[in-house]
Amino acid sequence: MALVYDPAKHDVEIVHAQFNRLIAELIKGAINRNTFQPWEIEVLLDIQSCDIGDLSQKDLLKRYQRAVQRSYEKGCKMPLKLSEYLSSLKARRDALSASSPNGAGVENQIAS
């Protein structure tokens, strides 16, 4: 499901600032408000539903925030979801793994 975006209600710069504020609050571990835009709730629910395994949540959120920044620079109007970001990372890992000799993965490419 795509994030709800209505150009009449959402200015790209405002959405970007709100996203950065939301992620900063999550990184700090304290959300100090009780009013959210519908798209912010979708982002929060998506983050909650993602299984991040052994990854550090703060580090992952910082990398996710940078990925969203890059997508804004490319013209995206709304932030991608964390699940979409994680899927793109997995697809990139799989592609690197498939293209390396003997299927040994990124480790061989880095070592050579």
Side-chain angles (χ1 to χ4, degrees):
M1 173 170 82
L3 293 174
V4 179
Y5 176 73
D6 181 356
K9 294 181 183 177
H10 300 101
D11 179 83
V12 174
E13 296 299 319
I14 292 172
V15 169
H16 183 64
Q18 288 173 325
F19 174 80
N20 284 330
R21 177 181 170 205
L22 179 66
I23 297 301
E25 290 174 344
L26 289 173
I27 290 170
K28 284 183 196 174
I31 295 181
N32 298 322
R33 57 188 167 129
N34 56 12
T35 304
F36 298 90
Q37 295 292 324
W39 67 266
E40 289 177 298
I41 294 170
E42 288 181 45
V43 167
L44 288 170
L45 290 172
D46 184 64
I47 290 170
Q48 184 179 18
S49 70
C50 289
D51 177 23
I52 61 169
D54 295 335
L55 298 173
S56 163
Q57 184 175 0
K58 288 182 182 183
D59 290 338
L60 177 63
L61 289 174
K62 288 176 185 177
R63 290 192 317 243
Y64 168 54
Q65 187 175 25
R66 285 191 300 270
V68 170
Q69 172 67 35
R70 288 189 302 271
S71 72
Y72 274 119
E73 291 168 359
K74 292 178 182 177
C76 289
K77 305 266 188 231
M78 293 297 286
L80 70 141
K81 292 181 180 181
L82 179 61
S83 59
E84 295 168 337
Y85 170 67
L86 293 174
S87 292
S88 71
L89 291 179
K90 183 180 181 323
R92 190 176 325 151
R93 265 193 322 268
D94 292 347
L96 285 173
S97 183
S99 67
S100 67
N102 301 327
V106 178
E107 295 79 20
N108 272 352
Q109 292 180 355
I110 292 172
S112 33

